[in-house]
Amino acid sequence: MTKKSDIGLKVKKMRAEMGISQEELAYRCGMQPSHIGQIERGQKSPTLVTLEKLAFGFDTTVSELTDYDKSSDLSEDKTMNKIVSYLYKLNEKEKNQVLSIVKTFVEK
């Protein structure tokens, strides 16, 4: 991880993928919901003990929780940023059409 907001984004993403609230995650981790929110917003940097609690709450390891996948960082990829900016202008049907086209390229 390079920034404290990176871990917060990862926590928020994992929580959303599990379909649980900040309150539910806090309960699983033995933490306060407000602390989860501060971590997700990048306002607080989690300590090692907090990372261990979060990993327990997610039923994963600290290593997995702190693994930063550079491929998910689009901030420096100008082509991807252009593509995403165009996609924001499309309606849902058009986005699904683009998705179908992209899938044909990727699944060759």
Side-chain angles (χ1 to χ4, degrees):
M1 295 282 162
T2 57
K3 300 179 288 188
K4 65 182 174 183
S5 61
D6 291 341
I7 187 69
L9 292 173
K10 178 99 181 225
V11 168
K12 187 173 185 173
K13 179 182 177 199
M14 290 176 71
R15 183 177 59 75
E17 287 172 353
M18 290 179 72
I20 61 174
S21 66
Q22 288 179 347
E23 290 78 11
E24 174 64 23
L25 178 59
Y27 175 77
R28 292 179 183 198
C29 299
M31 297 171 58
Q32 293 297 315
S34 60
H35 194 189
I36 300 290
Q38 290 169 333
I39 292 169
E40 287 186 359
R41 291 187 300 276
Q43 295 172 329
K44 293 263 184 173
S45 294
T47 64
L48 181 56
V49 171
T50 300
L51 289 171
E52 290 172 339
K53 288 179 179 183
L54 287 167
F56 179 80
F58 283 124
D59 192 27
T60 190
T61 63
V62 171
S63 177
E64 176 66 28
L65 184 64
T66 58
D67 182 35
Y68 182 63
D69 181 7
K70 278 296 222 186
S71 68
S72 67
D73 183 11
L74 303 178
S75 62
E76 295 181 19
D77 189 332
K78 292 179 183 178
T79 303
M80 287 300 292
N81 285 330
K82 275 186 179 180
I83 292 168
V84 169
S85 70
Y86 286 125
L87 290 174
Y88 278 123
K89 298 175 185 177
L90 302 177
N91 64 40
E92 200 61 33
K93 182 179 178 184
E94 293 166 330
K95 288 177 189 175
N96 283 319
Q97 290 171 334
V98 171
L99 178 60
S100 294
I101 294 167
V102 171
K103 280 183 178 180
T104 61
F105 282 102
V106 174
E107 296 173 352
K108 283 184 181 180

